[in-house]
Amino acid sequence: MRLIVGKGAINGIRREISRISPFSVAVVTERKVADLHLEKLMEHIGNAQCIVLEPGEKMKSLETAEIIWRWLFEIGATRRTLIIAFGGGTVIDIAGFVASTYMRGMFLANVPTTLLAQADAAVGGKNGVDYIGKNMIGTFYDPKFVLVDTSFLDSLGEDEMRSGMAEIVKHAIIGDEKLFEMLENGGFSIEEAVKRSLFVKLRIVKRDPREEKGLRSMLNLGHTVGHALEFLSNYSISHGIAVSIGIAVSCKLGEMLHGFDGRERVEALLVKMGLPIRLKADPDDVIRVARRDKKAVNGRIVMVVPRKIGRVVVEEVDEEILRKALEEMTS
Ligand code: NAD
C-alpha cells in the first residue's frame, strides 16, 4: 500500500492511478462531500463514473452495498476497475467492503476527507457495514494507495475536527510520545500530526493485521468506555467526545494500576482541543455495557490502559477498580 500525505496531494492522484493501470475508475462518495469537493477530484482523475450516496452512518448498510454492487454491474466494472472511496469513515468503510466483495475483490484506493478518516480509518484494512450491530459484517482488505490531502479539511466543521483530534491524541498516547509533545506545544502542522498518527496505527497493524494476536486491540484506547457512553446516550453524543472521556478514564485507571504519571497532561491536552474529560453517566450503567465490549472475555472487562505516554497495555480490569475510576471521573 502506498501512502501519500500532504496539502495538495490530490494533484498527484493521476500518477498513483496510472501505477495501477486500472481498466476503469469508479468513485464512491456521498452528497455532502460531492457538493464540496467532487469537481476538484474529477478534474484530477479525468474519466470516471461516480455514485453519490446519502451521507451519515445509516448509509453503511447491506442495502447500500447492494445498490453499489448493482451499479458496478451496470457500468460494466470488472476486477480491474479501481474503486476510489472519497469521503469520511463511512464512505471508506462501505466502499472498502464493496471493493473486497465485488467479483471477489477489485482495486481500491482511499481518499479520506474527514480528519478522523485521514488520521485513522483510511488505513488498517478494516471495512464493513452495520448489520444488527455496528460494523458486524465486513472484511480485511487493503487499498492500493491512500491519498491524504489535508486541504479537504478546510470545509470540515469544528465538531468533526475535534473528533479527529481525539483519535490523534489516542494514537500519540498509544505509541508516539513525540507526537504527544508536538500536540502539547501547539507548533505542529496538521500534515505532520496526521502522518505520525497513521504511522502509529500502521506499525501496530503490521504486527497483527487480522487482529489475531490481540495487539491490534491497543488501538482501542478509550473505546470501551467511549462505546458504552455512545450507546447509553442513544448515540446523541459524538464518537470523538465519547472517546475523549474514555481516554481520560483509561488514564485514571493507568494512574491507579500502574502509577501512570501522565494523566494531568492528557487531560490538559484534551481540554485544549475542546474535548470533554468528565462523564455524566451512571458508572454502573457504563460497566454493564462495557461487559459486552468486543474485547471482553466471558463478560470480564478488558481495557487498554496507559503505562506511560507512548506505551499502553491491554489487560483485564477489575470491575470495582473501574467503578472507582468512573466515580472519580464523574462530573
Ligand atoms: P462520516 O463519514 O459520517 O463524516 C462525518 C461528517 O462529515 C458527515 O456529515 C460528512 O458528510 C461530513 N464530511 C466529510 N468530509 C467532509 C469535508 N471535507 N468537509 C465537510 N464535511 C465533510 O464520519 P467519520 O467521522 O469520518 O467516520 C466515522 C465512521 O468511520 C464510522 O462509521 C466508523 O465506524 C468508521 N471508522 C472506521 C475505521 C476503520 O478502521 N475502518 C476506523 C475508525 C472509524
Side-chain angles (χ1 to χ4, degrees):
M1 182 201 81
R2 282 174 57 80
L3 175 64
I4 309 102
V5 183
K7 205 172 176 75
I10 198 72
N11 296 322
I13 195 167
R14 203 189 276 259
R15 196 175 51 242
E16 294 305 321
I17 294 173
S18 48
R19 294 176 87 104
I20 301 168
S21 177
F23 163 72
S24 60
V25 178
V27 176
V28 176
T29 188
E30 43 100 323
R31 191 171 28 78
K32 205 157 151 191
V33 175
D35 288 350
L36 290 161
H37 301 296
L38 187 57
E39 209 179 309
K40 185 168 167 194
L41 178 78
M42 296 307 282
E43 264 170 32
H44 288 288
I45 301 181
N47 204 7
Q49 310 255 22
C50 294
I51 187 164
V52 180
L53 310 168
E54 274 308 299
E57 182 72 25
K58 268 213 177 111
M59 146 273 263
K60 254 178 67 176
S61 66
L62 278 177
E63 289 76 25
T64 314
E66 200 181 344
I67 290 169
I68 309 172
W69 286 321
R70 197 174 290 273
W71 171 72
L72 288 169
F73 274 110
E74 281 165 11
I75 64 169
T78 73
R79 302 194 66 227
R80 298 193 58 82
T81 295
L82 167 69
I83 284 213
I84 297 185
F86 185 50
T90 50
V91 171
I92 301 282
D93 274 3
I94 191 147
F97 176 62
V98 167
S100 75
T101 46
Y102 181 84
M103 295 192 179
R104 299 197 179 83
M106 54 203 298
F107 297 144
L108 170 68
N110 289 340
V111 180
T113 61
T114 62
L115 184 55
L116 184 141
Q118 294 197 345
D120 188 340
V123 306
K126 278 189 183 178
N127 60 52
V129 296
D130 302 335
Y131 179 75
I132 302 178
K134 204 168 141 62
N135 300 324
M136 285 297 278
I137 306 289
T139 68
F140 288 97
Y141 195 69
D142 267 325
K144 291 282 178 204
F145 68 84
V146 175
L147 186 143
V148 177
D149 185 338
T150 51
S151 62
F152 289 126
L153 303 177
D154 293 348
S155 56
L156 202 64
E158 263 183 36
D159 277 359
E160 300 301 341
M161 281 304 280
R162 274 197 286 267
S163 265
M165 285 314 300
E167 303 291 347
I168 294 179
V169 173
K170 178 194 81 174
H171 282 150
I173 300 168
I174 293 170
D176 190 346
E177 191 179 4
K178 176 131 187 277
L179 171 60
F180 191 89
E181 285 165 4
M182 273 169 48
L183 299 171
E184 268 181 325
N185 299 335
F188 65 93
S189 71
I190 196 75
E191 289 76 38
E192 182 68 7
V194 163
K195 217 184 282 180
R196 295 193 80 107
S197 178
L198 290 174
F199 285 161
V200 170
K201 181 166 180 180
L202 285 169
R203 262 201 319 270
I204 292 169
V205 168
K206 206 169 157 193
R207 289 163 63 206
D208 186 15
R210 298 213 157 215
E211 209 161 332
E212 287 161 346
K213 299 184 190 152
L215 290 171
R216 239 187 124 132
S217 337
M218 276 195 270
L219 295 167
N220 268 313
L221 172 68
H223 282 62
T224 307
V225 168
H227 283 150
L229 295 175
E230 276 182 291
F231 177 82
L232 291 168
S233 77
N234 211 3
Y235 295 91
S236 64
I237 59 168
S238 77
H239 181 68
I241 282 178
V243 166
S244 176
I245 300 169
I247 290 173
V249 172
S250 292
C251 288
K252 181 77 200 167
L253 278 171
E255 193 177 72
M256 292 162 72
L257 294 168
H258 306 295
F260 170 59
D261 63 4
R263 180 176 68 86
E264 284 172 10
R265 283 174 70 195
V266 172
E267 289 193 359
L269 180 57
L270 291 169
V271 169
K272 188 171 117 183
M273 305 279 177
L275 288 158
I277 51 172
R278 295 282 179 267
L279 68 153
K280 294 195 165 68
D282 181 338
D284 285 325
D285 289 340
V286 176
I287 289 170
R288 187 171 42 79
V289 181
R291 284 187 200 124
R292 304 198 304 251
D293 180 70
K294 66 177 174 188
K295 288 185 296 308
V297 183
N298 297 329
R300 294 196 308 272
I301 297 172
V302 174
M303 288 177 64
V304 188
V305 182
R307 273 181 170 260
K308 63 190 267 305
I309 288 172
R311 187 157 167 249
V312 295
V313 283
V314 182
E315 62 186 347
E316 192 179 322
V317 174
D318 181 83
E319 286 192 9
E320 277 320 303
I321 295 176
L322 176 58
R323 180 172 292 107
K324 200 155 182 282
L326 288 164
E327 277 164 6
E328 291 196 27
M329 298 302 288
T330 307
S331 58

